[in-house]
Amino acid sequence: MTPQRKARIEAIAACRQPDLTVFMERVHKPHNVSAVLRTCDAVGIMRAHAVPAGGTLPKLNHTSGGAQRWIELVRHRDSAEGLKALKQQGFRLYAAHFSEQAIDFRTPDYTKPTAIVLGTEKFGVSDETATLVDEHIAIPMHGMAQSLNVSVATALVLYEAERQRRGAGMYEPRSLAEEPWKSLATDWIQR
Amino acid sequence: MTPQRKARIEAIAACRQPDLTVFMERVHKPHNVSAVLRTCDAVGIMRAHAVPAGGTLPKLNHTSGGAQRWIELVRHRDSAEGLKALKQQGFRLYAAHFSEQAIDFRTPDYTKPTAIVLGTEKFGVSDETATLVDEHIAIPMHGMAQSLNVSVATALVLYEAERQRRGAGMYEPRSLAEEPWKSLATDWIQR
Ligand SMILES: C[S@@+](CC[C@H](N)C(=O)[O-])C[C@H]1O[C@@H](n2cnc3c(N)ncnc32)[C@H](O)[C@@H]1O
Ligand SMILES: C[S@@+](CC[C@H](N)C(=O)[O-])C[C@H]1O[C@@H](n2cnc3c(N)ncnc32)[C@H](O)[C@@H]1O
């Protein structure tokens, strides 16, 4: 490994955002899961969460530039258990979900510990999950179709978080504490 | 058709944005083209442009909720010809393209006539196209992967345009002129 590559890896590990995450509820198309993880990497998410559709996660393709290599993906048996764990860790849960009570996705303060919950391609967020989260957020739709692709919706919310966090200086000079930063960088360098 | 459905169609046709468009340069995966068109519909694009990869456009799947039904897709033989036509129509051309000269994608004024140029999955925007456009725009990347999925990148730029245009009142009460509005609504109602 060149010193340049090592420095690059250390700099990227340094701006990981441990208090930003996504929770995919039974998203089942591999290209969608891949695109979500690729965007997670781009905004500095360290660890993503999923309830796999049908028990196993789809096999990921490689077009995502291998972004999933740099993200830890935690599997949960069901949404109730997974969401409870995130709440206990202090995350505020936002379901991307078009409902009567949904607020515009640009309203929340995403500089606070934030988990974005996404629904499955055909049916969206489950009723149970809709009641378990803190808030529903919606992306405005001006057209004939009723929803966006799930990886597109994820990216729009995550980049609103990125905009807010960048403005708040959360990507520099280093977001991650010394300890987790060193161990993450060491782990990446060894891969 | 119920009167409610007719009124909904008329209202949606009324906020189409004739001066906002995308130009896909050889985007070849059907799920990417579908996701792009679905987002185009959501932000009110009337007509999208593409240079098909290998001469023909990929067959679109139906998971996009049929959004492509509500968008006209204009095919161009090559980028030079297509981009020239857009320039003549008064569009400012922004290539989503990571280059030395790229500016942050949130900087431009997208309330002006705007065309967003996207590159092909593997190789990005061609060298020729990079020189033909007015500006390069880039979405900040904080991770290990070098680029986002193309439909994700498209959506991030288009929703920045949506944010600006909504703020400028361009979605209400009606953006489209009387004539094109009536003919578009009539066309949609007859489908
Ligand atoms: C294709 S959509 C599901 C559509 C489903 N028919 C429904 O009614 O929810 C998949 C997921 O993408 C997210 N999504 C798509 N469009 C959205 C929008 N405009 N606002 C918020 N979330 C959206 C949601 O998390 C949704 O569960
Ligand atoms: C998967 S990328 C192509 C990657 C290619 N290796 C390159 O170097 O351009 C496909 C298209 O998505 C758009 N894109 C992806 N990530 C982007 C970013 N961070 N900023 C601007 N455009 C991006 C560009 O239009 C690009 O041509």
Side-chain angles (χ1 to χ4, degrees), chain B:
Chain B
M1 173 163 314
T2 64
Q4 287 83 348
R5 169 116 179 127
K6 183 163 179 282
R8 178 166 179 265
I9 286 183
E10 285 175 349
I12 291 171
C15 63
R16 280 316 206 205
Q17 309 281 311
D19 58 350
L20 181 64
T21 192
V22 298
F23 186 96
M24 290 179 263
E25 191 183 48
R26 304 198 163 79
V27 175
H28 70 273
K29 295 198 180 164
H31 64 79
N32 283 334
V33 176
S34 286
V36 168
L37 294 178
R38 188 170 173 182
T39 307
C40 284
D41 169 64
V43 300
I45 287 177
M46 292 181 67
R47 187 179 292 134
H49 300 264
V51 175
T56 48
L57 272 178
K59 232 178 145 343
L60 300 176
N61 58 37
H62 292 286
T63 53
S64 59
Q68 58 258 22
R69 281 183 61 201
W70 315 104
I71 308 249
E72 192 189 334
L73 186 56
V74 180
R75 282 139 232 252
H76 299 274
R77 231 189 3 215
D78 61 61
S79 298
E81 172 251 299
L83 294 175
K84 195 174 149 209
L86 286 177
K87 255 194 192 167
Q88 278 167 354
Q89 290 161 47
F91 283 95
R92 195 166 168 80
L93 309 179
Y94 295 96
H97 186 49
F98 237 109
S99 76
E100 300 260 295
Q101 69 190 85
I103 56 172
D104 187 281
F105 80 108
R106 295 189 182 100
T107 313
D109 179 356
Y110 297 122
T111 64
K112 302 274 162 59
T114 297
I116 309 297
V117 180
L118 290 315
T120 182
E121 285 86 348
K122 256 220 176 110
F123 305 109
V125 168
S126 68
D127 293 344
E128 189 191 14
T129 290
T131 64
L132 291 175
V133 297
D134 296 300
E135 203 99 62
H136 299 174
I137 51 176
I139 298 155
M141 305 286 289
H142 304 279
M144 293 291 287
Q146 312 268 7
S147 67
L148 297 164
N149 168 280
V150 61
S151 71
V152 160
T154 309
L156 292 170
V157 182
L158 289 181
Y159 266 89
E160 172 59 21
E162 187 271 349
R163 192 190 64 78
Q164 294 183 12
R165 285 173 176 243
R166 193 151 47 110
M170 290 172 74
Y171 287 99
E172 11 111 20
R174 178 155 86 230
S175 331
L176 213 52
E178 188 82 10
E179 253 325 301
W181 168 59
K182 284 210 167 140
S183 87
L184 183 64
T186 309
D187 175 26
W188 283 359
I189 287 165
Q190 283 164 356
R191 287 194 195 181

Side-chain angles (χ1 to χ4, degrees), chain A residues 35-126:
Chain A
V36 168
L37 294 178
R38 188 169 172 181
T39 307
C40 285
D41 170 64
V43 299
I45 287 177
M46 290 180 68
R47 187 180 291 134
H49 299 264
V51 175
T56 49
L57 272 178
K59 233 179 147 324
L60 300 176
N61 57 36
H62 293 286
T63 54
S64 58
Q68 58 259 23
R69 281 183 62 201
W70 314 103
I71 308 248
E72 192 189 333
L73 186 55
V74 180
R75 283 138 233 251
H76 298 273
R77 232 188 4 213
D78 60 60
S79 298
E81 172 250 300
L83 295 175
K84 195 172 149 210
L86 285 177
K87 255 194 192 166
Q88 278 168 352
Q89 290 161 46
F91 283 95
R92 195 167 166 81
L93 309 179
Y94 295 95
H97 185 49
F98 237 109
S99 76
E100 300 260 295
Q101 69 190 86
I103 57 171
D104 187 281
F105 79 108
R106 295 189 183 101
T107 313
D109 179 355
Y110 297 122
T111 64
K112 303 272 162 62
T114 297
I116 309 297
V117 181
L118 291 314
T120 183
E121 285 86 348
K122 257 217 174 113
F123 305 108
V125 168
S126 69

